[in-house]
Amino acid sequence: MRQLDSWVARACVGFVRACVVAVVSMLVPAVWAAAVALGVWWGAGNPWSWLAPFVLVCVGTLALSRPVCRMVRFLVERWTATVIPAGYRQAGPVTRLSTGYWWNGFSYERSRRDAVLDQKWRVRWGDPANWRDLRFTGIAPLTAGVVAALPPAAVAAAVLGLGQPGLAARLVGACGLVVAVGSAPYAWRIVKPVAVRFLRPSPAMALADRVDVLTAQRADVTVTQAAEIRRIERDLHDGAQARLVALGLSLATAEKLMETDPDQVRALMREARAGATASLVELRGLIRGISPPVLNERGLVDAVRALALDVPLDVAVSADTPLHLDPPIESALYFGIAELLTNAVRHAQASRAHVSLTPDDTGILAEVEDDGRGGADVRAGGGLVGLRRRLAVFDGTLEITSPPGGPTRVRMAVPCESL
């Protein structure tokens, strides 16, 4: 009895999914059928009767191709957990130049609106994925659409057959019912191999996307490096350099007053010593901001534990084994964890946090969880955006789970072969 109930449930779910696949696959052919019906209604004798159906076919196919493909990808991911990359070209940043014009990657425009609009249409119609989507809209009805239409067609035959008098009609209806029940759990499954075969990005498209990603990463790294150099220069100029200049002036004054005013010289020497101590503290802080000594000497795990001691939170750090990572990856993860703990203190109003560092088959996983108020998201220009870009340089990912009310869990994954 339990097996029968399971089969009925699978048949019902499969029937609904088959109907959905059939409808989605047949949207474009439905437009073609409507165009043919319009031409017939207009009349074959009219020499212009072909124009409206032709325009309807072209516009309808172009307008529906990408939504149909996106819907198929969504259904495949929802039902089978198979992610099919879209491979569509993404619009790059629009930059205003010193001349006042806006550069969108293709042309110069006088306003940002014109630049964005021009870029949108160039990216949309110059995308090679358009041809792939058009090909799929022609293949899907003849493959997934026909097979997925079998259960609803069999149900329709069963209803018509069983509703008609006569043994032959009832036999046809019974056969239709058997075919519908037997094929419903399986008919929709053909959409997965068809979508994987014809909707995945081609090697050329994947290579072009990779080039675009690397170009964006290079630009981000260049901008980040320039900003970091300016920050270091500003900190040196406003802090340690100013104190060292004052120290030099104090020593020069003390040298002149050494014979005439020893008390003043001693006061100047005390001020000079205090200035030298402050300069040393600032230089050490600057060095820690560039590359913490504990990170270079003792590795990522001990550096994170030392960081946890300085954070005004109850932070627990767990690591399965000692980790031996490449220095750039250690630095990126260390400063990422430091930024997340700082956000937990400043914005989340958390009282406890937990940091875990675990290796897996491909790299290193770093998770930071706090008991704050939640609601963290990636905003343009925010720190999490910069952290995501910093990890993307190493093909790393950043996943954030932060419902309102907490807790907030951030997962950083970086592939690394040096473990």
mmCIF file of all heavy atoms in Angstrom, residues 259-300:
data_model
loop_
_atom_site.group_PDB
_atom_site.id
_atom_site.type_symbol
_atom_site.label_atom_id
_atom_site.label_comp_id
_atom_site.label_asym_id
_atom_site.label_seq_id
_atom_site.Cartn_x
_atom_site.Cartn_y
_atom_site.Cartn_z
ATOM 1 N N GLU A 259 74.420 73.792 26.571
ATOM 2 C CA GLU A 259 75.348 74.510 27.436
ATOM 3 C C GLU A 259 74.651 75.556 28.289
ATOM 4 O O GLU A 259 75.109 75.875 29.393
ATOM 5 C CB GLU A 259 76.440 75.181 26.589
ATOM 6 C CG GLU A 259 77.274 74.201 25.759
ATOM 7 C CD GLU A 259 78.124 73.301 26.639
ATOM 8 O OE1 GLU A 259 78.395 73.675 27.807
ATOM 9 O OE2 GLU A 259 78.535 72.218 26.155
ATOM 10 N N THR A 260 73.561 76.107 27.800
ATOM 11 C CA THR A 260 72.952 77.255 28.483
ATOM 12 C C THR A 260 71.748 76.883 29.347
ATOM 13 O O THR A 260 71.497 77.530 30.369
ATOM 14 C CB THR A 260 72.512 78.295 27.449
ATOM 15 O OG1 THR A 260 71.566 77.681 26.544
ATOM 16 C CG2 THR A 260 73.706 78.818 26.666
ATOM 17 N N ASP A 261 70.979 75.895 28.966
ATOM 18 C CA ASP A 261 69.747 75.575 29.701
ATOM 19 C C ASP A 261 69.591 74.055 29.790
ATOM 20 O O ASP A 261 68.820 73.445 29.035
ATOM 21 C CB ASP A 261 68.543 76.207 29.001
ATOM 22 C CG ASP A 261 67.297 76.195 29.886
ATOM 23 O OD1 ASP A 261 67.334 75.536 30.946
ATOM 24 O OD2 ASP A 261 66.297 76.817 29.497
ATOM 25 N N PRO A 262 70.278 73.385 30.710
ATOM 26 C CA PRO A 262 70.193 71.919 30.815
ATOM 27 C C PRO A 262 68.791 71.430 31.157
ATOM 28 O O PRO A 262 68.388 70.355 30.702
ATOM 29 C CB PRO A 262 71.193 71.590 31.916
ATOM 30 C CG PRO A 262 72.113 72.767 31.977
ATOM 31 C CD PRO A 262 71.292 73.947 31.619
ATOM 32 N N ASP A 263 68.044 72.177 31.970
ATOM 33 C CA ASP A 263 66.687 71.724 32.317
ATOM 34 C C ASP A 263 65.790 71.646 31.079
ATOM 35 O O ASP A 263 65.018 70.705 30.910
ATOM 36 C CB ASP A 263 66.082 72.675 33.348
ATOM 37 C CG ASP A 263 66.832 72.608 34.683
ATOM 38 O OD1 ASP A 263 67.480 71.556 34.933
ATOM 39 O OD2 ASP A 263 66.773 73.592 35.437
ATOM 40 N N GLN A 264 65.895 72.679 30.251
ATOM 41 C CA GLN A 264 65.108 72.662 29.014
ATOM 42 C C GLN A 264 65.535 71.524 28.097
ATOM 43 O O GLN A 264 64.704 70.893 27.435
ATOM 44 C CB GLN A 264 65.266 74.017 28.295
ATOM 45 C CG GLN A 264 64.447 74.136 27.022
ATOM 46 C CD GLN A 264 62.946 74.153 27.298
ATOM 47 O OE1 GLN A 264 62.536 74.483 28.413
ATOM 48 N NE2 GLN A 264 62.168 73.787 26.309
ATOM 49 N N VAL A 265 66.840 71.229 28.113
ATOM 50 C CA VAL A 265 67.333 70.121 27.287
ATOM 51 C C VAL A 265 66.747 68.800 27.762
ATOM 52 O O VAL A 265 66.321 67.947 26.965
ATOM 53 C CB VAL A 265 68.878 70.082 27.308
ATOM 54 C CG1 VAL A 265 69.385 68.798 26.649
ATOM 55 C CG2 VAL A 265 69.431 71.292 26.598
ATOM 56 N N ARG A 266 66.695 68.607 29.081
ATOM 57 C CA ARG A 266 66.122 67.366 29.598
ATOM 58 C C ARG A 266 64.635 67.252 29.235
ATOM 59 O O ARG A 266 64.143 66.172 28.906
ATOM 60 C CB ARG A 266 66.311 67.320 31.111
ATOM 61 C CG ARG A 266 67.740 66.928 31.518
ATOM 62 C CD ARG A 266 67.815 66.608 33.009
ATOM 63 N NE ARG A 266 67.596 67.814 33.816
ATOM 64 C CZ ARG A 266 68.601 68.599 34.230
ATOM 65 N NH1 ARG A 266 69.866 68.313 33.911
ATOM 66 N NH2 ARG A 266 68.355 69.673 34.957
ATOM 67 N N ALA A 267 63.916 68.361 29.289
ATOM 68 C CA ALA A 267 62.503 68.324 28.902
ATOM 69 C C ALA A 267 62.345 67.973 27.425
ATOM 70 O O ALA A 267 61.468 67.178 27.044
ATOM 71 C CB ALA A 267 61.846 69.669 29.208
ATOM 72 N N LEU A 268 63.206 68.578 26.596
ATOM 73 C CA LEU A 268 63.152 68.265 25.168
ATOM 74 C C LEU A 268 63.502 66.806 24.901
ATOM 75 O O LEU A 268 62.918 66.158 24.028
ATOM 76 C CB LEU A 268 64.097 69.191 24.405
ATOM 77 C CG LEU A 268 63.686 70.669 24.317
ATOM 78 C CD1 LEU A 268 64.791 71.484 23.650
ATOM 79 C CD2 LEU A 268 62.379 70.810 23.537
ATOM 80 N N MET A 269 64.465 66.273 25.655
ATOM 81 C CA MET A 269 64.831 64.872 25.469
ATOM 82 C C MET A 269 63.680 63.947 25.881
ATOM 83 O O MET A 269 63.449 62.913 25.242
ATOM 84 C CB MET A 269 66.081 64.548 26.270
ATOM 85 C CG MET A 269 67.325 65.308 25.822
ATOM 86 S SD MET A 269 67.772 64.978 24.097
ATOM 87 C CE MET A 269 68.279 63.282 24.210
ATOM 88 N N ARG A 270 62.953 64.307 26.939
ATOM 89 C CA ARG A 270 61.793 63.506 27.324
ATOM 90 C C ARG A 270 60.730 63.538 26.239
ATOM 91 O O ARG A 270 60.126 62.523 25.899
ATOM 92 C CB ARG A 270 61.231 64.024 28.651
ATOM 93 C CG ARG A 270 62.074 63.648 29.873
ATOM 94 C CD ARG A 270 61.301 63.894 31.160
ATOM 95 N NE ARG A 270 60.986 65.310 31.336
ATOM 96 C CZ ARG A 270 61.759 66.163 31.997
ATOM 97 N NH1 ARG A 270 62.902 65.743 32.548
ATOM 98 N NH2 ARG A 270 61.410 67.421 32.139
ATOM 99 N N GLU A 271 60.491 64.722 25.674
ATOM 100 C CA GLU A 271 59.526 64.825 24.580
ATOM 101 C C GLU A 271 59.988 64.028 23.363
ATOM 102 O O GLU A 271 59.185 63.371 22.686
ATOM 103 C CB GLU A 271 59.319 66.284 24.203
ATOM 104 C CG GLU A 271 58.638 67.115 25.282
ATOM 105 C CD GLU A 271 58.495 68.565 24.868
ATOM 106 O OE1 GLU A 271 58.916 68.890 23.734
ATOM 107 O OE2 GLU A 271 57.964 69.370 25.664
ATOM 108 N N ALA A 272 61.283 64.072 23.082
ATOM 109 C CA ALA A 272 61.814 63.327 21.950
ATOM 110 C C ALA A 272 61.651 61.823 22.159
ATOM 111 O O ALA A 272 61.297 61.076 21.237
ATOM 112 C CB ALA A 272 63.280 63.685 21.722
ATOM 113 N N ARG A 273 61.908 61.369 23.379
ATOM 114 C CA ARG A 273 61.746 59.946 23.662
ATOM 115 C C ARG A 273 60.288 59.527 23.520
ATOM 116 O O ARG A 273 59.983 58.465 22.967
ATOM 117 C CB ARG A 273 62.250 59.647 25.070
ATOM 118 C CG ARG A 273 62.181 58.151 25.428
ATOM 119 C CD ARG A 273 62.793 57.901 26.778
ATOM 120 N NE ARG A 273 62.068 58.660 27.818
ATOM 121 C CZ ARG A 273 62.441 58.694 29.090
ATOM 122 N NH1 ARG A 273 63.527 58.043 29.490
ATOM 123 N NH2 ARG A 273 61.733 59.393 29.962
ATOM 124 N N ALA A 274 59.372 60.363 24.024
ATOM 125 C CA ALA A 274 57.948 60.041 23.865
ATOM 126 C C ALA A 274 57.541 60.030 22.401
ATOM 127 O O ALA A 274 56.774 59.158 21.950
ATOM 128 C CB ALA A 274 57.091 61.047 24.644
ATOM 129 N N GLY A 275 58.071 60.995 21.615
ATOM 130 C CA GLY A 275 57.769 61.011 20.185
ATOM 131 C C GLY A 275 58.313 59.800 19.468
ATOM 132 O O GLY A 275 57.672 59.240 18.578
ATOM 133 N N ALA A 276 59.530 59.372 19.829
ATOM 134 C CA ALA A 276 60.109 58.180 19.203
ATOM 135 C C ALA A 276 59.286 56.940 19.543
ATOM 136 O O ALA A 276 59.053 56.075 18.689
ATOM 137 C CB ALA A 276 61.558 58.004 19.658
ATOM 138 N N THR A 277 58.816 56.855 20.800
ATOM 139 C CA THR A 277 57.982 55.718 21.190
ATOM 140 C C THR A 277 56.672 55.714 20.420
ATOM 141 O O THR A 277 56.222 54.664 19.925
ATOM 142 C CB THR A 277 57.708 55.767 22.701
ATOM 143 O OG1 THR A 277 58.950 55.767 23.408
ATOM 144 C CG2 THR A 277 56.874 54.572 23.136
ATOM 145 N N ALA A 278 56.045 56.881 20.290
ATOM 146 C CA ALA A 278 54.795 56.963 19.539
ATOM 147 C C ALA A 278 55.005 56.617 18.076
ATOM 148 O O ALA A 278 54.177 55.938 17.459
ATOM 149 C CB ALA A 278 54.191 58.364 19.688
ATOM 150 N N SER A 279 56.117 57.084 17.504
ATOM 151 C CA SER A 279 56.415 56.750 16.109
ATOM 152 C C SER A 279 56.606 55.262 15.934
ATOM 153 O O SER A 279 56.148 54.668 14.947
ATOM 154 C CB SER A 279 57.670 57.503 15.654
ATOM 155 O OG SER A 279 57.481 58.896 15.727
ATOM 156 N N LEU A 280 57.284 54.636 16.875
ATOM 157 C CA LEU A 280 57.488 53.191 16.796
ATOM 158 C C LEU A 280 56.154 52.451 16.872
ATOM 159 O O LEU A 280 55.938 51.475 16.146
ATOM 160 C CB LEU A 280 58.416 52.746 17.922
ATOM 161 C CG LEU A 280 58.792 51.265 17.956
ATOM 162 C CD1 LEU A 280 59.506 50.866 16.670
ATOM 163 C CD2 LEU A 280 59.668 50.966 19.164
ATOM 164 N N VAL A 281 55.261 52.914 17.756
ATOM 165 C CA VAL A 281 53.946 52.280 17.859
ATOM 166 C C VAL A 281 53.170 52.419 16.551
ATOM 167 O O VAL A 281 52.531 51.466 16.065
ATOM 168 C CB VAL A 281 53.164 52.888 19.036
ATOM 169 C CG1 VAL A 281 51.714 52.391 19.026
ATOM 170 C CG2 VAL A 281 53.833 52.529 20.351
ATOM 171 N N GLU A 282 53.211 53.611 15.952
ATOM 172 C CA GLU A 282 52.494 53.817 14.696
ATOM 173 C C GLU A 282 53.082 52.976 13.572
ATOM 174 O O GLU A 282 52.355 52.409 12.755
ATOM 175 C CB GLU A 282 52.524 55.294 14.322
ATOM 176 C CG GLU A 282 51.669 56.165 15.232
ATOM 177 C CD GLU A 282 51.624 57.593 14.767
ATOM 178 O OE1 GLU A 282 52.293 57.899 13.755
ATOM 179 O OE2 GLU A 282 50.934 58.413 15.400
ATOM 180 N N LEU A 283 54.407 52.879 13.516
ATOM 181 C CA LEU A 283 55.027 52.055 12.489
ATOM 182 C C LEU A 283 54.668 50.580 12.663
ATOM 183 O O LEU A 283 54.428 49.866 11.680
ATOM 184 C CB LEU A 283 56.544 52.242 12.518
ATOM 185 C CG LEU A 283 57.056 53.594 12.007
ATOM 186 C CD1 LEU A 283 58.557 53.701 12.208
ATOM 187 C CD2 LEU A 283 56.718 53.758 10.523
ATOM 188 N N ARG A 284 54.643 50.134 13.920
ATOM 189 C CA ARG A 284 54.248 48.749 14.152
ATOM 190 C C ARG A 284 52.795 48.507 13.745
ATOM 191 O O ARG A 284 52.459 47.472 13.168
ATOM 192 C CB ARG A 284 54.452 48.398 15.620
ATOM 193 C CG ARG A 284 55.921 48.215 16.005
ATOM 194 C CD ARG A 284 56.060 47.978 17.499
ATOM 195 N NE ARG A 284 57.454 47.709 17.861
ATOM 196 C CZ ARG A 284 57.891 47.592 19.112
ATOM 197 N NH1 ARG A 284 57.036 47.730 20.123
ATOM 198 N NH2 ARG A 284 59.158 47.347 19.349
ATOM 199 N N GLY A 285 51.911 49.459 14.050
ATOM 200 C CA GLY A 285 50.525 49.329 13.618
ATOM 201 C C GLY A 285 50.393 49.332 12.110
ATOM 202 O O GLY A 285 49.591 48.578 11.539
ATOM 203 N N LEU A 286 51.195 50.169 11.442
ATOM 204 C CA LEU A 286 51.170 50.194 9.987
ATOM 205 C C LEU A 286 51.654 48.873 9.412
ATOM 206 O O LEU A 286 51.099 48.354 8.435
ATOM 207 C CB LEU A 286 52.033 51.358 9.484
ATOM 208 C CG LEU A 286 52.051 51.596 7.966
ATOM 209 C CD1 LEU A 286 50.658 51.913 7.467
ATOM 210 C CD2 LEU A 286 53.008 52.725 7.624
ATOM 211 N N ILE A 287 52.698 48.304 10.008
ATOM 212 C CA ILE A 287 53.214 47.014 9.538
ATOM 213 C C ILE A 287 52.178 45.920 9.739
ATOM 214 O O ILE A 287 51.988 45.058 8.865
ATOM 215 C CB ILE A 287 54.527 46.675 10.267
ATOM 216 C CG1 ILE A 287 55.633 47.651 9.838
ATOM 217 C CG2 ILE A 287 54.945 45.235 9.991
ATOM 218 C CD1 ILE A 287 56.902 47.499 10.634
ATOM 219 N N ARG A 288 51.484 45.947 10.891
ATOM 220 C CA ARG A 288 50.443 44.951 11.118
ATOM 221 C C ARG A 288 49.319 45.082 10.103
ATOM 222 O O ARG A 288 48.698 44.093 9.719
ATOM 223 C CB ARG A 288 49.885 45.096 12.530
ATOM 224 C CG ARG A 288 50.801 44.543 13.609
ATOM 225 C CD ARG A 288 50.041 44.364 14.906
ATOM 226 N NE ARG A 288 49.540 45.633 15.416
ATOM 227 C CZ ARG A 288 50.198 46.419 16.263
ATOM 228 N NH1 ARG A 288 51.403 46.061 16.700
ATOM 229 N NH2 ARG A 288 49.673 47.554 16.680
ATOM 230 N N GLY A 289 49.024 46.308 9.667
ATOM 231 C CA GLY A 289 47.999 46.490 8.660
ATOM 232 C C GLY A 289 48.407 46.010 7.291
ATOM 233 O O GLY A 289 47.558 45.699 6.455
ATOM 234 N N ILE A 290 49.720 45.965 7.026
ATOM 235 C CA ILE A 290 50.211 45.476 5.731
ATOM 236 C C ILE A 290 50.416 43.968 5.774
ATOM 237 O O ILE A 290 49.915 43.225 4.923
ATOM 238 C CB ILE A 290 51.519 46.194 5.347
ATOM 239 C CG1 ILE A 290 51.283 47.701 5.237
ATOM 240 C CG2 ILE A 290 52.066 45.643 4.040
ATOM 241 C CD1 ILE A 290 52.554 48.490 5.029
ATOM 242 N N SER A 291 51.147 43.498 6.738
ATOM 243 C CA SER A 291 51.434 42.074 6.888
ATOM 244 C C SER A 291 51.746 41.808 8.357
ATOM 245 O O SER A 291 52.854 42.105 8.816
ATOM 246 C CB SER A 291 52.611 41.653 6.000
ATOM 247 O OG SER A 291 52.884 40.272 6.146
ATOM 248 N N PRO A 292 50.791 41.277 9.103
ATOM 249 C CA PRO A 292 51.021 41.048 10.535
ATOM 250 C C PRO A 292 52.200 40.111 10.779
ATOM 251 O O PRO A 292 52.288 39.052 10.152
ATOM 252 C CB PRO A 292 49.703 40.407 10.993
ATOM 253 C CG PRO A 292 48.702 40.813 9.970
ATOM 254 C CD PRO A 292 49.446 40.911 8.677
ATOM 255 N N PRO A 293 53.110 40.440 11.665
ATOM 256 C CA PRO A 293 54.257 39.562 11.922
ATOM 257 C C PRO A 293 53.847 38.181 12.401
ATOM 258 O O PRO A 293 54.472 37.183 12.038
ATOM 259 C CB PRO A 293 55.049 40.329 12.992
ATOM 260 C CG PRO A 293 54.644 41.763 12.820
ATOM 261 C CD PRO A 293 53.229 41.720 12.390
ATOM 262 N N VAL A 294 52.785 38.102 13.235
ATOM 263 C CA VAL A 294 52.369 36.788 13.726
ATOM 264 C C VAL A 294 51.875 35.907 12.590
ATOM 265 O O VAL A 294 52.008 34.674 12.634
ATOM 266 C CB VAL A 294 51.278 36.956 14.805
ATOM 267 C CG1 VAL A 294 50.006 37.536 14.211
ATOM 268 C CG2 VAL A 294 50.987 35.627 15.482
ATOM 269 N N LEU A 295 51.324 36.520 11.542
ATOM 270 C CA LEU A 295 50.877 35.741 10.387
ATOM 271 C C LEU A 295 52.062 35.161 9.637
ATOM 272 O O LEU A 295 52.020 34.009 9.180
ATOM 273 C CB LEU A 295 50.022 36.620 9.467
ATOM 274 C CG LEU A 295 49.455 35.957 8.217
ATOM 275 C CD1 LEU A 295 48.491 34.842 8.595
ATOM 276 C CD2 LEU A 295 48.739 36.992 7.340
ATOM 277 N N ASN A 296 53.130 35.933 9.505
ATOM 278 C CA ASN A 296 54.313 35.445 8.801
ATOM 279 C C ASN A 296 55.085 34.416 9.624
ATOM 280 O O ASN A 296 55.687 33.492 9.066
ATOM 281 C CB ASN A 296 55.236 36.619 8.453
ATOM 282 C CG ASN A 296 54.563 37.606 7.524
ATOM 283 O OD1 ASN A 296 53.743 37.214 6.688
ATOM 284 N ND2 ASN A 296 54.891 38.881 7.661
ATOM 285 N N GLU A 297 55.065 34.588 10.949
ATOM 286 C CA GLU A 297 55.896 33.720 11.789
ATOM 287 C C GLU A 297 55.185 32.436 12.204
ATOM 288 O O GLU A 297 55.809 31.378 12.270
ATOM 289 C CB GLU A 297 56.330 34.500 13.035
ATOM 290 C CG GLU A 297 57.202 35.714 12.719
ATOM 291 C CD GLU A 297 57.432 36.577 13.937
ATOM 292 O OE1 GLU A 297 56.901 36.206 15.021
ATOM 293 O OE2 GLU A 297 58.096 37.621 13.822
ATOM 294 N N ARG A 298 53.867 32.499 12.483
ATOM 295 C CA ARG A 298 53.195 31.349 13.085
ATOM 296 C C ARG A 298 52.040 30.805 12.260
ATOM 297 O O ARG A 298 51.416 29.824 12.652
ATOM 298 C CB ARG A 298 52.699 31.738 14.485
ATOM 299 C CG ARG A 298 53.808 32.267 15.379
ATOM 300 C CD ARG A 298 53.316 32.591 16.767
ATOM 301 N NE ARG A 298 52.763 31.406 17.427
ATOM 302 C CZ ARG A 298 52.250 31.430 18.658
ATOM 303 N NH1 ARG A 298 52.229 32.574 19.340
ATOM 304 N NH2 ARG A 298 51.772 30.334 19.204
ATOM 305 N N GLY A 299 51.706 31.432 11.145
ATOM 306 C CA GLY A 299 50.673 30.891 10.276
ATOM 307 C C GLY A 299 49.298 31.463 10.546
ATOM 308 O O GLY A 299 49.082 32.265 11.463
ATOM 309 N N LEU A 300 48.333 31.010 9.737
ATOM 310 C CA LEU A 300 47.000 31.591 9.752
ATOM 311 C C LEU A 300 46.254 31.290 11.050
ATOM 312 O O LEU A 300 45.613 32.179 11.627
ATOM 313 C CB LEU A 300 46.200 31.075 8.549
ATOM 314 C CG LEU A 300 44.755 31.552 8.435
ATOM 315 C CD1 LEU A 300 44.705 33.063 8.281
ATOM 316 C CD2 LEU A 300 44.064 30.873 7.260
#
